[in-house]
Structures are given as C-alpha cells and as structure tokens.
Amino acid sequence: MITHRLALIAGVATALAVVPAAASAGAGQGGYTTIDVPGSAATFAASVNDAGVVVGWYTDSHGTNHGFIDQGGAFTTVNHPHAGTAAGQGTFLDFINDQGAMAGYYVTQSGANHGFIDQGGVFTTVNDPHAGTAAFQGTFLGSINDLGAVSGTYFNSHGKAISFAGPLGAFTTVDDPAAAPFSTFAGAINDSGVIVGGYNVFTHRVPHGFIDLSGVFTTLSDPNAGTASGQGTAAQGISNTGVIVGTYVDSSGGQHGFELSPSR
C-alpha cells in the first residue's frame, strides 16, 4: 500500500530517462543504492544535496511518520513540534538545499497539512493562501532551491490538488499534460529550474513520474518498481549535479528509497 506522501506525489513508469547535463540532470542510467532507516517499517528518500546529504521520512511500527537526515549512513530524526503522532500523521522532509535548509510538511492531530522550512531547527510555516484547512487539505511544500524558489502542491477547500513552483509570492502552475484528467504533483525544483514530480496513469492508477524542463516533460522509472496498481516509483528530489532520489514500491508491495546517480 502506498503511504501518505507516495499517494500524493505519484511515481515513475517505463524507462528511466534523464534530461541533458545542461539541464542539471545526467544522460542515461547510473547506479542505485537502497536506503533504509534502521528499525523503520518503511523508508522514503526524498532529496539529496550536492554534499550528498539525503533527507526523507520513515514510518515507525505505530504508523507515525518522522523526518530523517542521512549523512553517509548516519541517520538523524526530525520531528516538527506541531506534528500529530497518530498513524498517518507526523513529519515529512521533502528537500534539503546546499545551505542545509530543509523543506517539507507536517500533518496535525486534526489531519490538516502545513508546509514548512527548517533552518537549523528553526521552523517557518509556508501555506498557500488558497489552501483548505480541513483534514486532508492544506499545503505540501516539496522543495526550496538555493535561489529561494519553492515547489509544492496544495489542496483547496473543494479537495482539488493544484501544484506550483517559483519564488515566494510568484508561483507558476505545474501541469503535466499526460496527467489528465488527474492532477500533477510537483516534487522538487533545482537551481536550473528543472522540476521533478509525478502523476497517476488513468487506466491502471500506476504512479508515474516526470522531469519538467521548461514545460517539456520526460518520464522516469526505477527498474525494480512494480507495474501494478499501487506500485511504481516516485521521483521526489533532484540536486544541482543531477542526482535524483525517491521511492519505489516493488511487485511484492515492499517500499524502498533509491538514489540515481547520473552516468558519466
């Protein structure tokens, strides 16, 4: 079963294709490394910066979610002070930039979602003004690049998902044409303006991901991902050097983080 964030962002299908190096992504496939937080029930890698620091979240045995920082295999847990502690609630880290600022969202006890930026343990709330405030509504902040541009998705009071990217106060809508009639979910934006995210295929509800280069969309996929409903891959982070991280669900329903290094 795909958990909260995977259900939001969707994942990746078919062959893994990456955009040219000039667009800050590598050309071709590289090597995959599995990331699992010790003792976790499931691990979701979301972002990696140019120093190789990976962030994401993991689910504990009670179903509560916690952010994590992975520095060369040394894990640190991050919990937003206002996050709920029930199953399906908690803290989700989606992005880390090269200054160490992290972006994500948390789910409250009431089930509402709020975006945040974490700078050295200091949390700042980022909510889209059009986002709803009821359970399963709110803002999901996906990334913040080194130039201050962010990406994310909000659900309005009618339950419609709308994705955005750009500088604070000057957002642009992100919409993969292959997503119709479903919504597109923007995951991350790097300093070159390359956006990764995902959507579900209409026919089989299999998660598919994308790279958006100035409005040109390219599909992504982890070769170990399943292809049935509820399986697939979520590409969620892209560094300025072209490293992509995310999560895939295999054909047995197992959930794994992945890191994709560009070919050289």
Side-chain angles (χ1 to χ4, degrees), residues 175-253:
D175 189 13
D176 190 320
F182 294 119
S183 299
T184 299
F185 300 98
I189 181 172
N190 70 8
D191 288 353
S192 297
V194 182
I195 302 166
V196 296
Y199 62 93
N200 281 323
V201 174
F202 177 70
T203 52
H204 303 295
R205 300 296 179 94
V206 178
H208 288 251
F210 66 82
I211 295 176
D212 173 9
L213 175 59
S214 301
V216 177
F217 292 84
T218 303
T219 300
L220 302 176
S221 173
D222 187 297
N224 298 312
T227 58
S229 179
Q231 298 171 8
T233 309
Q236 297 171 257
I238 180 170
S239 74
N240 294 326
T241 58
V243 179
I244 299 170
V245 296
T247 301
Y248 70 89
V249 179
D250 62 32
S251 59
S252 300

Side-chain angles (χ1 to χ4, degrees), residues 11 45-46 55 57 65 68 71 86 121 146 149 151-152 197 205 208 215 232 237 241 245 247 258-259 262:
V55 300
W57 69 94
N65 300 285
F68 75 82
Q71 294 179 288
D146 296 332
S151 66
R205 300 296 179 94
H208 288 251
T241 58
V245 296
T247 301
F258 74 82
E259 177 178 319

Side-chain angles (χ1 to χ4, degrees), residues 52-126:
V53 180
V54 177
V55 300
W57 69 94
Y58 67 92
T59 305
D60 64 25
S61 59
H62 301 289
T64 306
N65 300 285
H66 310 269
F68 75 82
I69 304 169
D70 173 9
Q71 294 179 288
F75 293 92
T76 302
T77 296
V78 176
N79 288 316
H80 192 283
H82 300 306
T85 58
Q89 299 175 357
T91 302
F92 301 79
L93 279 180
D94 286 334
F95 198 84
I96 182 169
N97 69 16
D98 291 336
Q99 282 71 49
M102 299 179 291
Y105 69 98
Y106 64 94
V107 183
T108 66
Q109 292 285 3
S110 68
N113 303 279
H114 301 275
F116 70 85
I117 295 171
D118 175 3
Q119 294 180 294
V122 178
F123 294 94
T124 301
T125 298
V126 179

